[in-house]
Amino acid sequence: MKAFLILEDGTVFQGTSIGSAREMISEIVFNTSMTGYLEVLTDPSYAGQAVVMTYPLIGNYGITPDMESKKAWPDGYIVRELSRMPSNFRCEGTIQEFLVRQDIPGIAGLDTRALTKLLREKGTMNGMITTDESYDLEEILPKLHTYRMGDVVSEVTCSKKYTLENNGPKVALMDFGAKNNIIKSLSRRGCEVTVYPAYTKAKEIIADHPDGIMLSNGPGDPADCTSIIEELAKLYQTDIPIFAICLGHQLMALANGGKTYKLKYGHRGGNHPVKDLKTGRVYISSQNHGYAVDAQSLDPAVAVPAFENVNDRTNEGITYIGKKIFTVQFHPEACPGPQDSGYLFDRFMDMMGGTK
């Protein structure tokens, strides 16, 4: 079956329908990872977006147990070539079967290189995936121009608090769309992790007396999370150690008077170099975000930049003065991606007093 990707600038790409045949409108973004497509599909940070994979062959090892959440989150999936015969001893099915089961529409067979270059030149755009060969551009384009992601954090967060027992420090993880490997990274270090819904009040978390607080990754525009930002400002006032990743990093900056802005086409992939401004050392990181913190908007008496993106000099981390708080834009838990910055979890452990 033919399928079409229609962008808000009027560009149309044609390919073959994969997954669900339903029509969808979403923000179109691209990911440069060569492996880890299943982790990309199950990363809650992609809620409200359709993902273009720049690597030309996707699905060659099929569906494995490496899911970052219980379901897939992207609105759509776009690839150059979809492997129909995966080969892996852990394989539990094909991507095609997975997309159908998850009701995600997609397209294979279009020129993802040309599409990615267009998104880099013009910036992230909204788009529609449709199998309707009689589509009407004049009717579709206004819909694309008005589409907005909305409140996606409420869609991806857990519905109620739950705890993963362990013998080490007690960590309160605020779930804005947390990847499983954040929890696993803490659990491997002996932490007892209690996961809280995104809109939990600060007083409830404080009353549970955690040894540390983890702010997770998540989707959407951080500036839309006004009620969460208000609660983080209250957590900042405590002496509880705090470590934040991705959206959590942006929200903590907003809670302390900083500003965020939308990147032209975002950082999504497993090959982004970040520089530790204290040591000068560069780490290769896994990233997935469309917004960044404006480092110039931070009061230097409150917070200072800790990491910087080597490619475009955008902020990649912040250290808060006089507080046991540090935040990073990239993903130290990786999966998919390099493990270079996994030591940051050890730093968080030290802030909480180490293993118990």
Side-chain angles (χ1 to χ4, degrees):
M1 184 189 303
K2 290 181 181 178
F4 305 89
L5 172 65
I6 304 168
L7 298 177
E8 63 179 286
D9 69 344
T11 303
V12 179
F13 290 87
Q14 180 180 322
T16 303
S17 175
I18 57 175
S20 170
R22 68 177 175 85
E23 193 170 271
M24 73 98 225
I25 293 177
S26 188
E27 182 179 72
I28 312 298
V29 300
F30 62 88
N31 184 293
T32 58
S33 297
M34 295 176 67
T35 62
Y37 52 78
L38 182 59
E39 290 92 333
V40 169
L41 278 166
T42 54
D43 182 349
S45 294
Y46 282 111
Q49 298 174 325
V51 185
V52 181
M53 301 300 293
T54 62
Y55 191 69
L57 177 63
I58 297 296
N60 56 315
Y61 53 88
I63 298 300
T64 60
D66 307 311
M67 293 178 64
E68 285 296 330
S69 61
K70 293 180 179 179
K71 58 166 284 187
W73 291 102
D75 291 335
Y77 201 56
I78 303 164
V79 301
R80 178 69 182 91
E81 182 180 350
L82 190 71
S83 174
R84 301 288 178 175
M85 297 180 65
S87 176
N88 187 282
F89 73 98
R90 301 167 72 234
C91 178
E92 299 174 349
T94 68
I95 279 238
Q96 169 68 6
E97 294 166 344
F98 182 76
L99 293 175
V100 170
R101 192 163 62 246
Q102 297 284 327
D103 194 30
I104 297 177
I107 306 181
L110 56 71
D111 189 343
T112 51
R113 181 179 175 85
L115 173 56
T116 301
K117 289 178 69 176
L118 183 64
L119 294 174
R120 283 178 58 91
E121 291 165 5
K122 294 191 174 183
T124 298
M125 286 186 276
N126 294 333
M128 171 187 281
I129 293 177
T130 181
T131 57
D132 182 4
E133 296 186 38
S134 59
Y135 62 83
D136 184 345
L137 268 183
E138 291 186 4
E139 181 181 322
I140 291 172
L141 291 181
K143 295 179 182 179
L144 300 183
H145 287 298
T146 56
Y147 171 81
R148 194 170 185 279
M149 198 179 300
D151 178 19
V152 278
V153 170
S154 62
E155 296 177 15
V156 301
T157 190
C158 59
S159 58
K160 60 182 179 180
K161 179 173 73 173
Y162 64 93
T163 299
L164 288 84
E165 302 287 345
N166 218 325
N167 299 318
K170 295 182 178 180
V171 176
L173 170 59
M174 293 197 72
D175 178 14
F176 307 135
K179 294 168 65 181
N180 284 341
N181 268 287
I182 293 178
I183 299 174
K184 290 179 181 177
S185 295
L186 294 168
S187 295
R188 278 197 299 269
R189 290 166 172 83
C191 295
E192 177 177 293
V193 182
T194 299
V195 183
Y196 293 80
Y199 295 94
T200 302
K201 298 296 183 182
K203 63 181 180 180
E204 179 181 343
I205 295 174
I206 295 168
D208 287 344
H209 303 291
D211 296 305
I213 298 171
M214 183 90 219
L215 309 180
S216 84
N217 61 292
D221 185 344
D224 288 341
C225 303
T226 52
S227 61
I228 297 175
I229 293 167
E230 290 174 5
E231 299 306 313
L232 294 188
K234 298 172 186 176
L235 292 176
Y236 171 83
Q237 296 300 326
T238 71
D239 293 324
I240 304 171
I242 299 175
F243 177 27
I245 293 172
C246 200
L247 179 62
H249 154 80
Q250 298 163 2
L251 294 176
M252 181 56 73
L254 290 169
N256 284 280
K259 296 179 180 179
T260 56
Y261 62 97
K262 189 169 186 177
L263 297 168
K264 185 176 181 180
Y265 47 82
H267 299 156
R268 299 175 181 88
N271 54 357
H272 291 263
V274 296
K275 182 178 182 180
D276 185 327
L277 296 177
K278 186 176 181 179
T279 65
R281 183 171 178 176
V282 173
Y283 299 89
I284 302 302
S285 69
S286 176
Q287 301 200 12
N288 173 17
H289 61 102
Y291 291 82
V293 173
D294 179 3
Q296 301 302 316
S297 68
L298 297 167
D299 181 349
V302 174
V304 294
F307 288 90
E308 183 180 80
N309 190 293
V310 176
N311 291 334
D312 61 11
R313 308 291 299 276
T314 54
N315 178 263
E316 293 283 358
I318 296 170
T319 298
Y320 288 83
I321 307 299
K323 293 283 185 177
K324 293 181 179 180
I325 302 176
F326 74 98
T327 69
V328 293
Q329 181 64 75
F330 50 95
H331 287 264
E333 84 289 351
C335 298
Q339 306 287 331
D340 295 31
S341 54
Y343 74 93
L344 294 174
F345 284 98
D346 298 321
R347 181 189 295 181
F348 183 45
M349 294 292 293
D350 290 340
M351 288 166 52
M352 294 188 292
T355 56
K356 294 186 177 181

